[in-house]
Amino acid sequence: TYTLPATQTYAIGSVGLGANVMVAVTESVNNTSLVFKNVGGYLKIKLYGDAIVRSVEISGNNGEIIAGDATLIANFDKVPEVVMDEDYGENLITLDCGSGVKLSNDANNPTEFWFVVPSTTFEDGITIKVTDNEGGTFVKSTSNKIVVERNKIQPMAAIKAEFEAIAKPANNEIWY
């Protein structure tokens, strides 16, 4: 058993530390050669715009379980399997960007945000929620079927992130 992380850490051009789980199994107890195989697949979200991103969340529009408690099944000479626990799984993964990631303004060279997810078919697409360093949010949904396969990258088309500003009081006002 293993808990697939519901919060992953941003890394430039790759998955964050601790998000990419691997398993290995030998043919027999006498065999000491371990060949590790990735358990999850990769969803690559590409954003551009004028913002500093604090976090990016993804969720399936059909409630797909993509994090939380799971059983990992590793058999010799076979592809590892992940069976998500429907009772203790989660349908949301948050990518924590720490103090923030400055987005590229170039649609042809967007900033990439990588997520590790179990092999999943998002039947009704996904929803992406991005929070900037000001607390503003940007939400984008797709209804297209998205298939994430083990050990493969599923890139998404670049999206311009346009944030809703958070209402703030002027310097000489107090809101209550």
Side-chain angles (χ1 to χ4, degrees):
T1 59
Y2 184 77
T3 302
L4 295 172
T7 300
Q8 299 177 12
T9 305
Y10 172 81
I12 298 171
S14 185
V15 297
L17 186 63
N20 198 22
V21 180
M22 300 176 85
V23 295
V25 65
T26 62
E27 185 176 21
S28 70
V29 293
N30 297 326
N31 185 348
T32 59
S33 177
L34 291 173
V35 177
F36 283 86
K37 296 181 181 178
N38 293 325
V39 170
Y42 312 100
L43 186 60
K44 182 168 47 169
I45 306 297
K46 298 183 247 178
L47 302 172
Y48 66 97
D50 185 26
I52 297 173
V53 172
R54 284 290 179 107
S55 67
V56 181
E57 298 175 356
I58 60 165
S59 59
N61 295 337
N62 204 24
E64 292 86 356
I65 303 298
I66 55 175
D69 292 349
T71 301
L72 306 180
I73 303 167
N75 292 305
F76 183 73
D77 263 355
K78 292 187 179 175
V79 174
E81 296 177 57
V82 178
V83 179
M84 298 304 298
D85 187 324
E86 296 290 327
D87 294 328
Y88 296 100
E90 299 182 40
N91 64 358
L92 176 78
I93 296 176
T94 301
L95 190 63
D96 181 350
C97 298
S99 60
V101 174
K102 174 80 173 106
L103 290 182
S104 166
N105 280 315
D106 183 357
N108 296 315
N109 188 27
T111 305
E112 298 176 346
F113 297 88
W114 290 62
F115 292 83
V116 177
V117 297
S119 294
T120 304
T121 299
F122 295 100
E123 291 293 338
D124 297 325
I126 62 171
T127 295
I128 303 162
K129 179 181 176 186
V130 185
T131 303
D132 71 6
N133 65 332
E134 301 278 321
T137 58
F138 165 73
V139 178
K140 181 73 173 178
S141 291
T142 178
S143 59
N144 298 336
K145 181 177 181 178
I146 299 169
V147 178
V148 178
E149 298 179 62
R150 187 197 73 79
N151 207 35
K152 293 189 178 177
I153 301 166
Q154 177 60 54
M156 305 300 292
I159 302 168
K160 183 173 185 179
E162 299 175 303
F163 292 84
E164 292 182 23
I166 299 295
K168 296 180 181 179
N171 289 338
N172 60 352
E173 293 181 335
I174 298 174
W175 290 5
Y176 60 92

